[in-house]
Amino acid sequence: MINIRFPDGAVRSYAKGITPMAVAKSIAEGLAKKVIAASVDGVVRDASTPLNKDCELKLLTWDDTDGKATFWHSSAHLLAEAVESTFPGVKFWVGPAIDKGFYYDMDLGGRHISEEELLTLEKKMDELSKKNSEYIRKEISKTDAVAYFSEKGDEYKLDLLSGLQDGEITFYTQGNFTDLCRGPHIPHTGLIKAIKLTSIAGAYWKGDEKNKQLTRIYGVSFPNQKELDDHLLMLEEAKKRDHRKLGKELSIFTFDDDVGPGLPLWMPNGTIVIEELEKLAKETEQSAGYKRVVTPHIAKESMYLTSGHLPYYQDSMYPPMELEGVKYYLKAMNCPHHHKIFSAESRSYKDLPLRLAEYGTCYRYEQSGELFGLMRVRCLHMNDAHIYCAKEDFAKEFRAVNDMYIKYFKIFGIDKYVMRLSLHDPAKLGQKYINEPELWKETEEMVRQVLIDSKIPYVEVPDEGAFYGPKIDVQIWSAIGREFTLATNQVDFAQGRRFGLEYTNRDNQSETPLIIHRAPLGTHERFIGFLLEHYAGKFPLWLAPVQVKVLSISEKFNPYASEVTQALLKAGIRAELDDRGEKIGKKIRDTELLKIPYMFVIGEKEQNEGLVAVRRQGKGDAGQSPISEIITTLTSEIQQRHSN
RNA sequence: GCCGUUGUAGCUCAGUGGUAGAGCACUUCCUUGGUAAGGAAGAGGUCGUGAGUUCAAUUCUCAUCAACGGCUCCA
């Protein structure tokens, strides 16, 4: 007998060799039907794994994250089975579960799969799932495994096998499909009741663009049709919040073929959002001791050679233009320009920390395939600043920057974020990273300490640093679950020296300052893209391009409505008058769709009594109010930058 | 940059080997209406661009540009 402990703490005795599935059956038949896999001492295993010693057991169902992952991984095998039966001779690479679904990478030998064929595969999967084929695990020797895939001529699986040892190789078979796989899998294919193959894409073998490109089929599956329907509905909803769609509907930005890819044109509405954000940044930075600067959009090649950017990033800069025999580059970053401002005057320790801020316009030649709405563009406006400080001030300054991030997050109601501490890889010193092993270690430790001291949640990622120092990236998620790298906060111990930046310390000696690069609001492009999705286009009052729409009930009241509009404009509120000869219902509908926060309805009653009838977007009629009173209310809401 | 898909009016989208349609938006007229679409008329497109096949191309073929879904990349 063995003792099995359950998540609720209960311990029960079972015969040695019992499987999690049998345990589930002993508890309830209904439970057994739902069991997908089992967590045994924290390791996810097949529900058919014999339990031979005391253990902690958690029966996994669709409701568990690990259960879903197993379900989707098994779905990937089902996809492979369908593909193999439809297109014999296909070679498979790997088919993992992902965040929401699964994919399988395969070599179709030059064949293309069309949208219709994708539907055929989907039907085939449905058909195969109904066979209730068990996923059967088999341990196999390396020799036999190699023989099997050699016979099949599958060099991809042979490549996988080359990294495996005897004794750790298992095959899984369901129906007519056998795959090299560590598992675990669900009990049988019949559990996969609703399947949707979502897209076909190319994917480099092993993620390396030098390698051959395989065909990747993405899909998602569920234990019942309703969940699939819900999922598809959710995708539809997500589309409505897509910043590209909202940006067009709300006239925030546009792209034009003649201007060029990745070069957004900010329309009047978008420009208002930009200006409000800049106002916020300027206020915040001014009170934090920053000084504003303005620098040109281009600079000579020599400066980027000095900074060291050119050899590292030339490919992602616009090609140079030549004037009077000298090459000029469009700036892809603001730092070198700021360094030149630092070095323009002799600096004393009394000048430090010197914090130079600029909403700098940068141009980056992103590869064409990378462009994505406002999220990846070639012209961007960075909420940039560089802090020049003595080493002893570093921790304090770095922490103040982090505090500023948090302050902004509160204003925008961003409560889900993770900071990623990106470190260097010692093996790549001198190539990807500046060859200063000691400085790397030292600054990485300083940054880590600040994060620990400030109790900010963070994860460490190796080999992701900037070439001149470690950095912190802030990951946030928009309301539709899209992940953004919003902002970066970087330490730079290299450029100060490269630019010969110096200050005189207390002992009358020259020292090179440390530099902090920071951009809490990232770029206007990415941040406004994020905000559009975050707010679903319903900007809070302070950011709304049009804050109040004044709607006259009939043309008779246009003069008074116009007076109201003027009063609002005079009070600094962005108001517009709708004096069209339309009915009030129509005007309200149009304004609602434009997601304008406030509507003032003006009719006979309002005109006679000097009132406005207030209506809040999405919330309906909010009753009447005297004009002066509502102006006071709105002004205060705007000043406080209320989130919705 | 690579793989795949798409490209028709300002927007959303039908459609056809014989040089084009709808709804919304726009303009004008009628209506002056109290909290999510009143009615009518009109204007608007060399069907992304270039070449080829054809008596004839928006439709078929190729190239190119752009967008989209991924991969790679992201100071």
Side-chain angles (χ1 to χ4, degrees):
Chain A
M1 298 295 278
I2 55 167
N3 290 319
I4 295 178
R5 179 194 290 271
F6 293 89
D8 64 358
V11 178
R12 295 210 226 170
S13 292
Y14 288 93
K16 191 175 168 190
I18 191 165
T19 65
M21 185 53 83
V23 171
K25 277 186 183 147
S26 79
I27 298 169
E29 272 300 322
L31 175 64
K33 278 188 191 145
K34 282 167 58 185
V35 166
I36 281 175
S39 164
V40 182
D41 290 331
V43 181
V44 184
R45 311 293 295 268
D46 294 334
S48 59
T49 310
L51 304 173
N52 292 319
K53 59 182 175 63
D54 291 359
C55 60
E56 290 201 18
L57 177 69
K58 183 171 187 235
L59 297 166
L60 299 175
T61 68
W62 172 254
D63 298 324
D64 300 287
T65 309
D66 286 336
K68 280 191 178 70
T70 306
F71 189 90
W72 283 328
H73 181 203
S74 299
S75 302
H77 278 232
L78 189 64
L79 165 62
E81 186 183 357
V83 171
E84 191 169 64
S85 78
T86 314
F87 309 113
V90 171
K91 296 167 190 171
F92 295 97
W93 171 234
V94 291
I98 49 175
D99 195 32
K100 200 77 198 170
F102 59 89
Y103 67 78
Y104 216 121
D105 280 353
M106 56 195 79
D107 181 348
L108 293 166
R111 166 194 284 280
H112 297 298
I113 289 188
S114 67
E115 301 280 319
E116 290 98 275
E117 285 170 320
L118 204 59
L119 282 174
T120 313
L121 286 174
E122 205 174 286
K123 284 207 189 83
K124 186 76 191 173
M125 285 175 75
D126 282 327
E127 205 180 299
L128 292 170
S129 86
K130 292 204 178 76
K131 290 187 175 170
N132 296 333
S133 312
E134 279 180 61
Y135 286 85
I136 299 159
R137 181 176 195 271
K138 186 179 166 199
E139 288 176 15
I140 189 161
S141 71
K142 187 161 177 175
T143 319
D144 290 349
V146 168
Y148 178 84
F149 285 110
S150 299
E151 169 109 2
K152 242 180 142 182
D154 192 331
E155 67 264 31
Y156 301 101
K157 292 294 178 187
L158 288 171
D159 183 86
L160 276 181
L161 276 169
S162 70
L164 295 173
Q165 303 298 320
D166 242 336
E168 57 179 15
I169 298 170
T170 51
F171 276 11
Y172 274 84
T173 302
Q174 97 273 5
N176 290 321
F177 179 73
T178 297
D179 202 357
L180 169 68
C181 179
R182 114 164 48 88
H185 281 282
I186 62 177
H188 62 88
T189 59
L191 295 169
I192 306 169
K193 294 217 189 300
I195 300 156
K196 177 82 190 161
L197 294 181
T198 46
S199 66
I200 312 168
Y204 298 110
W205 184 40
K206 296 185 178 178
D208 187 336
E209 65 179 322
K210 289 185 200 77
N211 284 342
K212 182 170 182 179
Q213 200 157 47
L214 305 176
T215 302
R216 174 174 296 181
I217 299 181
Y218 282 92
V220 66
S221 58
F222 297 91
N224 57 63
Q225 185 64 35
K226 183 175 181 306
E227 290 217 34
L228 172 59
D229 292 343
D230 289 349
H231 176 72
L232 295 176
L233 196 69
M234 206 193 68
L235 291 181
E236 287 300 308
E237 288 302 309
K239 262 190 206 162
K240 289 184 197 161
R241 285 183 90 126
D242 190 302
H243 76 277
R244 291 165 296 186
K245 185 170 162 62
L246 287 168
K248 192 173 278 180
E249 283 170 4
L250 306 180
S251 307
I252 303 289
F253 65 93
T254 188
F255 289 95
D256 186 282
D257 278 2
D258 258 350
V259 176
L263 302 171
L265 297 167
W266 290 97
M267 302 166 92
N269 282 348
T271 305
I272 287 169
V273 180
I274 284 181
E275 283 173 354
E276 286 296 337
L277 290 175
E278 290 196 11
K279 207 157 94 189
L280 169 67
K282 283 174 188 169
E283 282 171 25
T284 308
E285 285 161 8
Q286 192 184 359
S287 61
Y290 287 70
K291 290 172 177 158
R292 299 201 71 76
V293 295
V294 173
T295 63
H297 291 198
I298 62 172
K300 279 159 54 175
E301 176 185 41
S302 54
M303 186 165 75
Y304 297 111
L305 287 170
T306 305
S307 72
H309 282 102
L310 216 42
Y312 286 89
Y313 299 113
Q314 185 160 32
D315 287 348
S316 39
M317 290 173 79
Y318 273 86
M321 58 192 113
E322 205 167 308
L323 288 154
E324 295 158 342
V326 179
K327 282 182 185 165
Y328 285 81
Y329 282 87
L330 276 169
K331 72 173 169 184
M333 69 299 293
N334 304 302
C335 27
H337 287 87
H338 290 184
H339 301 338
K340 291 298 188 185
I341 292 177
F342 182 96
S343 64
E345 295 174 358
S346 59
R347 305 287 178 183
S348 137
Y349 70 94
K350 292 175 188 168
D351 298 323
L352 303 190
L354 181 68
R355 310 177 190 89
L356 301 179
E358 174 179 21
Y359 247 110
T361 308
C362 300
Y363 298 87
R364 295 180 181 181
Y365 184 68
E366 301 283 359
Q367 292 183 56
S368 59
E370 262 82 76
L371 300 175
F372 174 70
L374 283 181
M375 299 308 173
R376 284 291 286 279
V377 290
R378 288 180 174 168
C379 172
L380 43 101
H381 298 83
M382 227 196 303
N383 171 226
D384 213 357
H386 296 91
I387 300 171
Y388 303 83
C389 66
K391 205 184 263 178
E392 53 271 26
D393 289 331
F394 173 81
K396 190 167 148 264
E397 287 301 312
F398 202 79
R399 182 163 186 163
V401 168
N402 277 317
D403 291 346
M404 190 181 282
Y405 278 76
I406 309 291
K407 184 188 157 172
Y408 282 136
F409 290 169
K410 280 205 183 107
I411 291 174
F412 295 101
I414 297 169
D415 40 25
K416 188 182 176 196
Y417 61 89
V418 171
M419 301 224 179
R420 286 161 34 110
L421 170 56
S422 300
L423 309 170
H424 78 298
D425 177 353
K428 295 183 185 167
L429 281 169
Q431 301 146 44
K432 189 171 170 185
Y433 305 108
I434 258 160
N435 196 6
E436 297 278 2
E438 287 310 310
L439 275 168
W440 275 104
K441 262 193 224 160
E442 203 178 329
T443 48
E444 284 176 356
E445 188 45 39
M446 282 198 288
V447 174
R448 186 180 290 120
Q449 207 50 52
V450 171
L451 287 169
I452 293 170
D453 289 349
S454 331
K455 298 188 169 58
I456 291 172
Y458 75 100
V459 292
E460 296 198 6
V461 279
D463 196 18
E464 291 273 321
F467 79 89
Y468 45 63
K471 64 174 182 175
I472 292 176
D473 287 324
V474 182
Q475 308 293 123
I476 55 176
W477 286 264
S478 81
I480 58 177
R482 189 173 280 156
E483 185 181 329
F484 295 80
T485 300
L486 168 65
T488 69
N489 186 2
Q490 302 165 349
V491 190
D492 180 349
F493 47 77
Q495 285 196 58
R497 209 176 286 168
R498 297 187 72 105
F499 277 86
L501 304 188
E502 287 182 343
Y503 67 94
T504 307
N505 69 14
R506 282 164 207 275
D507 305 323
N508 199 26
Q509 284 170 333
S510 279
E511 277 195 53
T512 300
L514 272 180
I515 303 167
I516 299 170
H517 302 238
R518 44 110 281 175
L521 296 178
T523 65
H524 283 322
E525 287 71 19
R526 194 170 283 190
F527 195 60
I528 292 175
F530 164 78
L531 287 180
L532 276 165
E533 296 186 2
H534 181 60
Y535 293 128
K538 296 170 192 164
F539 284 112
L541 191 64
W542 70 279
L543 277 174
V546 179
Q547 294 168 316
V548 179
K549 193 95 172 182
V550 180
L551 312 176
S552 56
I553 284 189
S554 86
E555 286 173 359
K556 276 189 285 193
F557 312 109
N558 278 348
Y560 175 64
S562 174
E563 265 176 53
V564 171
T565 311
Q566 289 306 318
L568 288 166
L569 289 171
K570 212 168 157 188
I573 293 169
R574 295 186 288 269
E576 280 182 2
L577 170 62
D578 185 348
D579 56 4
R580 294 176 301 164
E582 294 288 352
K583 290 169 88 166
I584 192 65
K586 169 71 168 163
K587 292 186 181 183
I588 286 171
R589 180 182 154 79
D590 289 347
T591 312
E592 286 279 349
L593 291 176
L594 289 172
K595 306 183 202 306
I596 292 166
Y598 280 97
M599 279 159 260
F600 290 176
V601 177
I602 306 290
E604 189 170 9
K605 276 179 280 178
E606 288 74 23
Q607 176 168 290
N608 291 343
E609 295 167 49
L611 300 172
V612 297
V614 179
R615 185 188 163 99
R616 182 101 216 216
Q617 201 274 342
K619 297 189 179 116
D621 197 345
Q624 291 173 323
S625 168
I627 301 173
S628 60
E629 206 171 279
I630 190 72
I631 285 180
T632 309
T633 309
L634 296 194
T635 305
S636 137
E637 191 180 334
I638 291 165
Q639 275 170 358
Q640 292 174 45
R641 297 196 170 99
H642 274 302
S643 220
N644 280 346

